[in-house]
Amino acid sequence: MELTARLRVLAELVPQDSRLADVGTDHAYLPVWLILQGRISRAIAADLREGPLGRARETAQQYHVMERIEFRLCDGLSAISPEEVDTISIAGMGGETIASILQDAPWSREKRLLLQPMTSFPDLRGWLQEHQYRIESEHIAREGNRLYTIWVVKGGRMEPLTPAELWVGRQTGTDPLRADYLNMMEHKIRRALSGMLASKSRDKTQIDLLQQVLEGIQDMQKELT
Ligand SMILES: C[S@@+](CC[C@H](N)C(=O)[O-])C[C@H]1O[C@@H](n2cnc3c(N)ncnc32)[C@H](O)[C@@H]1O
């Protein structure tokens, strides 16, 4: 079984012998791959909908690991108790959905969280910061011409993030894809800015903020070179 680059980067962040819950598991590729690799012995695979959970069962059946996975039909972590897990992955969902899942399970602060949001990055980073979660590290995966970020998060305080850091994360200078990621985000912000500048109902506060974000990203790009 082969994982895509995004799930592979995420999988490598799961410690050996973790007790994992994969929330929004869909096809359950992540827990099944981890079990096949011997990284974990069991997992909980949870999803909000019956269709994806059916796909998860099919994958587990195909790879003969049915008895190693518990399937839970539930919203977020609602049918998972803190004692059952030490690591939680929530991948391939919007930032708002991830924040709402964590909001409903404050005990998640005591766990190792592996988050891979698809949208609303600044909102999710801001939400984590306000709710006593700390982003320990960020990792980047490339699939074709798309770049994804995967965050390792735990409970705790983090130094307040600047407007640019809310958009692109804190610079650690260690990820080989960071420069490409910053270029992609710079392009995105420039596009958003020119849309705003061209619009009749200009929101000056929003424009100033995005300009600040753009400058922050450019500083980070200089720092990298
Ligand atoms: C795009 S798939 C991602 C699958 C897999 N995690 C991945 O990254 O490849 C998103 C999955 O999240 C599930 N989902 C969305 N909101 C959810 C929630 N509140 N609780 C649990 N699962 C949810 C959807 O049903 C869907 O199966």
Side-chain angles (χ1 to χ4, degrees), residues 86-155:
D86 51 37
T87 305
I88 298 166
S89 52
I90 313 179
M93 278 184 226
E96 280 106 350
T97 308
I98 295 179
S100 129
I101 290 173
L102 298 179
Q103 172 107 56
D104 291 345
W107 56 265
S108 59
R109 279 192 201 89
E110 283 138 43
K111 309 295 172 188
R112 179 180 175 84
L113 305 175
L114 304 173
L115 308 181
Q116 187 269 301
M118 300 297 283
T119 58
S120 312
F121 312 115
D123 303 311
L124 181 57
R125 286 194 186 88
W127 186 89
L128 290 169
Q129 173 169 278
E130 273 167 35
H131 291 83
Q132 288 78 51
Y133 289 87
R134 185 161 49 89
I135 302 174
E136 291 222 317
S137 58
E138 296 203 11
H139 308 261
I140 305 169
R142 186 200 296 281
E143 280 183 22
N145 53 12
R146 291 199 68 168
L147 294 172
Y148 299 92
T149 56
I150 299 107
W151 313 348
V152 180
V153 173
K154 290 195 181 154

Side-chain angles (χ1 to χ4, degrees), residues 6 24-27 47-49 52 74-76 91-93 97 101:
R6 175 181 63 89
T25 196
D26 198 351
H27 34 62
D47 206 287
L48 182 61
R49 295 181 296 125
C74 62
D75 185 351
M93 278 184 226
T97 308
I101 290 173

Side-chain angles (χ1 to χ4, degrees), residues 7-79:
L7 287 178
R8 184 62 195 265
V9 169
L10 206 156
E12 294 301 344
L13 296 165
V14 175
Q16 182 69 35
D17 300 322
S18 292
R19 292 180 301 139
L20 175 78
D22 185 35
V23 174
T25 196
D26 198 351
H27 34 62
Y29 291 149
L30 178 73
V32 170
W33 187 88
L34 288 164
I35 291 171
L36 293 176
Q37 295 295 313
R39 178 79 61 93
I40 60 174
S41 55
R42 311 189 55 77
I44 297 172
D47 206 287
L48 182 61
R49 295 181 296 125
E50 192 54 77
L53 212 57
R55 283 196 284 278
R57 285 197 188 89
E58 279 168 24
T59 309
Q61 245 155 9
Q62 184 186 348
Y63 291 95
H64 312 291
V65 295
M66 270 303 265
E67 72 293 350
R68 307 271 204 107
I69 300 186
E70 281 186 51
F71 301 90
R72 307 251 172 107
L73 183 64
C74 62
D75 185 351
L77 290 156
S78 59

